[in-house]
Amino acid sequence: MRLRADLVPQDNLSYQDVVLVVDVIRATTTATAFLEAGASSLYLTAGLESARAFRDDDVVLAGEEGGLKPAGFDYGNSPREAKEAPVGGKIVVLSTTNGTRTAHLAARSAKHVLLASLYNAHAAARLAHQLATEEVAILCAGKEGRIGLDDVYTAGVLAEFLQIMGSYELEDGALTALTTRRAYPDPLEPLHLSAAAQALRQVGLEADVPFCAQIAASPAVGVLEGRVGEALIFKRA
Amino acid sequence: MRLRADLVPQDNLSYQDVVLVVDVIRATTTATAFLEAGASSLYLTAGLESARAFRDDDVVLAGEEGGLKPAGFDYGNSPREAKEAPVGGKIVVLSTTNGTRTAHLAARSAKHVLLASLYNAHAAARLAHQLATEEVAILCAGKEGRIGLDDVYTAGVLAEFLQIMGSYELEDGALTALTTRRAYPDPLEPLHLSAAAQALRQVGLEADVPFCAQIAASPAVGVLEGRVGEALIFKRA
Ligand SMILES: [Ca+2]
Ligand SMILES: [Ca+2]
Ligand SMILES: [Ca+2]
C-alpha cells in the first residue's frame, strides 16, 4: 500500500483511492465536533452565499469569514462551540476557506474522502486503512495556498498511525510529515507556531488551538456520501 | 526580514525580493558545478528543443530526458561530469525538467533569483542575505509537482545558514524545512530516501547523489542576469 502526503493543495493533483483531508485549525476539527454532537450530516460549501441558500428549519449554518462568524450564521468555525451545539438530527452547513476548498479538490477524483484532524486521528486513520486498496493520500489544506505547519504535523500523526496498522510505502511528502511529527513531542508546539494559530490569536480565538491539539479524542469521522448542488455531503462513518 | 520556504512550486505564487531556487538532485547542483568549471554563463531553457536552438561553437548543451543525456547533447545533468567539463569561457545551455521550470516561475516576479544547492549552500545563503531587503524565499523544485525530501532538506540547510547571519521571521514552510534538516544529521540519508534518488538509481546514476550531498563545497552561485528568448541567463555572482 502506498502512503502519500500532499502538503499543500494543488489543482493538478488527482487521487485514485482514499484521501484524508486535513485542516486541523480548524475546519476538519470543527466538522468532527459537529458530527460528534449528533449532526445528521454535514454539508461543506465553497462560499458563504451557497451556505446561506441552504437555510431551513432543520439546518444550522456554521462557518467563518476572516476567522469570525459570518453575518446571519448560527455558529462560527469553533470546535469548542461545535461540540456543545444542539445539532442533534440537524444538517450542519459548514463554509470555511481552505478546508472546504481542499475537500472539493479531493472529491473531484478520490474514491473515498474522509475528514481528518488530530481530534479524530485514530478513527480516521483506521477507517482509511480499512477502505484503501492501493493508496492512502493525506491532503493538507494549508493556508491560502501555503503550507501549514499544523496540517503537516497532523499528516505526520496520521502517517504514524497508518504505519502501525500496516505496511506502507512512503513517498517524500509522507516522509517530511513524519519527520515533522517526530520533531515535536507536544502537539501544542507546532500548532501554536503555525500561521493558522497566529491568525486565531489576532481575532481572540486562540483557545481553539488546545482543542485542535487533542489527539484521538473522538471516534467520529466524516465520510463523503454525495453532493447536493455544489455542496459536499459528509456523514458520520 | 522574512524567511519563507515554498516546498513545491505553484503557479499562483509570487515573489517580492530574493528567491533561492533549489533542485538539489540535480539541476541546481549541476548548474553550480558548470559555473565552478568556468562557464561564462548558464542558459536555463524550459525544453530540449529550445536548448538545441542555441547550438553554436562556444555553446555546450547539457540536460536530461528521463535522467539521461538527450540525443545530440554534449553532457547530461550530472554534477560530477559538469565539474570536470572543459567549459571555460563557454555558454552552457542547461535543460532539465523540474529545476528549469521552477527557475522560470521564480523569475516571473522576483527581484533576484539565485541557484542554490547543498553544494553551494553557504555561498548562496550569504548572497541571498546580502541582497535581500524584506524577504528571502526558498523555492523547492520537487518532482513533477510533488514535494521532494531532498529539496526540503536543502531548504532547511539554507534556512539554518540564513538564521546564523541575521534575524529572520520564519513562516510554516521554513519551519517545516528546518525541522526536516534537524532530523537528519547526515545529508546522505534524506537524499538517498528521496524519489529523485530513486529515479537516478533506476538509470544507474546513483553516484551523483553523494556529490549532491556535499555541503558548502563550492563558492559559485548562479544569479539571474537577464533573458534571451525563453532562456534565463545566469552568471556567477
Ligand atoms: Ca487551517
Ligand atoms: Ca425543512
Ligand atoms: Ca530534483
Side-chain angles (χ1 to χ4, degrees):
Chain A
M1 196 87 76
R2 297 189 308 273
L3 175 53
R4 155 183 173 192
D6 292 324
L7 305 188
V8 81
Q10 294 178 87
D11 274 341
N12 58 334
L13 296 175
S14 70
Y15 299 93
Q16 293 76 47
D17 196 3
V18 176
V19 179
L20 289 159
V21 172
V22 173
D23 183 358
V24 68
I25 300 178
R26 301 172 287 171
T28 55
T29 306
T30 300
T32 302
F34 272 126
L35 290 173
E36 210 186 350
S40 65
S41 56
L42 195 80
Y43 289 13
L44 288 196
T45 65
L48 297 178
E49 282 321 305
S50 54
R52 286 193 180 99
F54 285 106
R55 183 171 272 307
D56 201 345
D57 293 348
D58 49 1
V59 170
V60 164
L61 299 190
E64 72 171 289
E65 196 173 26
L68 298 170
K69 184 172 88 168
F73 273 45
D74 305 296
Y75 296 98
N77 184 24
S78 167
R80 288 176 297 151
E81 265 190 353
K83 203 192 162 191
E84 307 302 332
V87 293
K90 298 202 175 200
I91 294 169
V92 174
V93 179
L94 183 63
S95 176
T96 68
T97 43
N98 304 298
T100 307
R101 219 174 296 147
T102 308
H104 276 80
L105 168 60
R108 256 182 8 203
S109 54
K111 267 197 210 122
H112 308 279
V113 179
L114 281 55
L115 302 178
S117 58
L118 290 176
Y119 188 50
N120 71 352
H122 239 132
R126 197 181 314 119
L127 185 59
H129 183 70
Q130 284 164 6
L131 291 171
T133 55
E134 41 177 320
E135 179 181 270
V136 176
I138 306 169
L139 176 57
C140 296
K143 195 161 163 44
E144 280 99 55
R146 308 280 296 279
I147 202 170
L149 184 64
D150 51 333
D151 292 334
V152 174
Y153 177 86
T154 303
V157 170
L158 291 163
E160 197 168 64
F161 287 170
L162 284 161
Q163 283 196 305
I164 292 168
M165 287 181 286
S167 172
Y168 283 86
E169 199 181 311
L170 275 62
E171 51 67 75
D172 293 27
L175 286 168
T176 303
L178 258 184
T179 301
T180 303
R181 188 276 185 272
R182 287 177 184 153
Y184 297 103
D186 179 356
L188 262 178
E189 191 180 350
L191 263 57
H192 272 313
L193 284 169
S194 71
Q198 284 168 37
L200 282 184
R201 269 194 292 280
Q202 277 163 15
V203 293
L205 288 171
E206 61 269 35
D208 278 344
V209 177
F211 190 101
C212 295
Q214 300 172 78
I215 292 187
S218 171
V221 183
V223 178
L224 181 62
E225 295 278 333
R227 289 162 195 265
V228 46
E230 60 143 302
L232 301 177
I233 303 177
F234 287 83
K235 290 188 186 288
R236 183 168 172 170
Chain B
M1 197 86 77
R2 295 189 310 273
L3 175 53
R4 155 184 173 192
D6 292 325
L7 306 188
V8 80
Q10 293 177 87
D11 274 341
N12 57 335
L13 296 174
S14 70
Y15 299 92
Q16 293 75 47
D17 197 3
V18 176
V19 180
L20 289 159
V21 171
V22 172
D23 183 358
V24 68
I25 300 178
R26 300 173 285 171
T28 55
T29 305
T30 300
T32 302
F34 273 126
L35 290 172
E36 211 186 349
S40 65
S41 55
L42 194 79
Y43 289 13
L44 286 196
T45 66
L48 298 179
E49 281 322 304
S50 55
R52 287 193 180 99
F54 285 106
R55 182 170 272 308
D56 202 346
D57 292 348
D58 51 358
V59 171
V60 164
L61 299 190
E64 70 170 291
E65 196 173 26
L68 297 171
K69 184 171 88 168
F73 273 46
D74 304 296
Y75 296 97
N77 184 24
S78 167
R80 287 176 297 152
E81 265 189 356
K83 202 191 163 190
E84 307 302 330
V87 294
K90 299 203 174 201
I91 294 170
V92 174
V93 179
L94 182 63
S95 174
T96 69
T97 44
N98 304 298
T100 307
R101 219 175 297 146
T102 308
H104 277 80
L105 168 61
R108 256 181 10 203
S109 54
K111 265 195 212 126
H112 307 280
V113 179
L114 281 55
L115 302 178
S117 58
L118 290 176
Y119 188 51
N120 71 351
H122 239 130
R126 197 180 315 117
L127 184 59
H129 183 71
Q130 284 165 5
L131 292 171
T133 56
E134 41 176 325
E135 179 182 89
V136 176
I138 306 168
L139 175 56
C140 297
K143 195 161 162 44
E144 280 97 54
R146 308 281 296 280
I147 201 171
L149 184 64
D150 50 334
D151 293 333
V152 174
Y153 178 86
T154 303
V157 170
L158 291 163
E160 197 169 64
F161 288 169
L162 285 160
Q163 283 195 303
I164 292 168
M165 288 181 285
S167 171
Y168 283 88
E169 199 182 310
L170 274 62
E171 51 67 76
D172 293 28
L175 286 169
T176 303
L178 257 184
T179 300
T180 303
R181 188 274 185 275
R182 287 175 186 155
Y184 298 103
D186 178 357
L188 261 179
E189 191 181 349
L191 264 57
H192 272 313
L193 283 170
S194 71
Q198 283 168 38
L200 281 185
R201 269 193 293 279
Q202 278 164 16
V203 293
L205 288 170
E206 61 269 36
D208 278 344
V209 178
F211 190 102
C212 295
Q214 300 173 78
I215 293 186
S218 171
V221 182
V223 178
L224 181 62
E225 294 278 332
R227 289 161 194 265
V228 46
E230 58 145 301
L232 301 177
I233 304 176
F234 287 84
K235 290 189 187 286
R236 184 169 172 169

